[in-house]
């Protein structure tokens, strides 16, 4: 797979930052934004969407992924996530598993309220993942 140009990753990061402004997070007050770069080269944003029944809260990453899949996309090349924190944070375990389904080798870019960023890969965050191929 060709490396993703830095300018594309910066566009993805910008989309994640913008998506956080749409967050529905009245309970945690933790506004998260995400954006995914798909195999077709398109970018899909997402935000966290909370619920009065707390267990139904959906992370920004999964909102973005489900939106991409609903638009007909089946592969993820990169996922950017913005959290309103002084340091970057990593996607939660549930989101790692969902990213694995569509982008087992996806790049992950985490950005935050400061200039810090962490770039890693899904397989570094979820080694030996259970995935579609394990179902035979
Ligand atoms: N959250 C995300 O949307 N993505 C993350 O990577 C971390 C956590 C959301 C879930 C919940 O709405 C709020 O942040 C607090 O956990």
């Amino acid at each position: 797979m060709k490396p993703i140009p830095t300018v594309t990753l910066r566009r993805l990061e910008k989309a994640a930052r913008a998506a956080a402004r749409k967050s529905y997070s009245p309970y945690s007050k933790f506004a998260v934004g995400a954006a995914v770069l798909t195999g077709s080269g398109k970018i899909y944003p997402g935000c966290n969407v909370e619920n009065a029944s707390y267990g139904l809260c959906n992370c920004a990453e999964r909102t973005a992924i489900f939106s991409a899949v609903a638009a007909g996309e089946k592969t993820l090349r990169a996922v950017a996530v913005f959290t309103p924190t002084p340091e970057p944070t990593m996607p939660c375990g549930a989101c790692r598993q969902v990213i694995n389904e569509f982008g087992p080798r996806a790049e992950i870019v985490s950005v935050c309220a400061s200039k810090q960023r962490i770039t890693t890969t899904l397989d570094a965050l979820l080694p030996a993942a259970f995935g579609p191929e394990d179902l035979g």
Side-chain angles (χ1 to χ4, degrees), residues 12-118:
L12 194 66
E13 169 187 331
K14 230 177 143 185
R17 287 182 189 277
R21 296 200 281 272
K22 304 266 171 60
S23 166
Y24 178 74
S25 45
Y27 308 108
S28 71
K29 302 192 188 330
F30 193 72
V32 185
V36 298
L37 176 70
T38 62
S40 74
K42 287 196 187 140
I43 287 175
Y44 295 82
C47 59
N48 55 333
V49 182
E50 298 189 342
N51 192 279
S53 175
Y54 296 165
L56 300 182
C57 292
N58 201 61
C59 290
E61 296 92 320
R62 278 176 287 148
T63 304
I65 294 165
F66 296 156
S67 167
V69 172
E73 304 279 357
K74 294 285 183 288
T75 60
L76 298 178
R77 296 190 63 198
V79 178
V81 57
F82 163 85
T83 51
T85 50
E87 293 180 358
T89 65
M90 291 294 130
C92 78
C95 288
R96 293 179 197 197
Q97 182 67 32
V98 173
I99 296 167
N100 181 72
E101 187 79 15
F102 302 104
R105 267 162 291 286
E107 269 192 54
I108 310 292
V109 184
S110 287
V111 296
C112 62
S114 75
K115 283 193 158 51
Q116 290 185 47
R117 74 163 48 75
I118 295 175

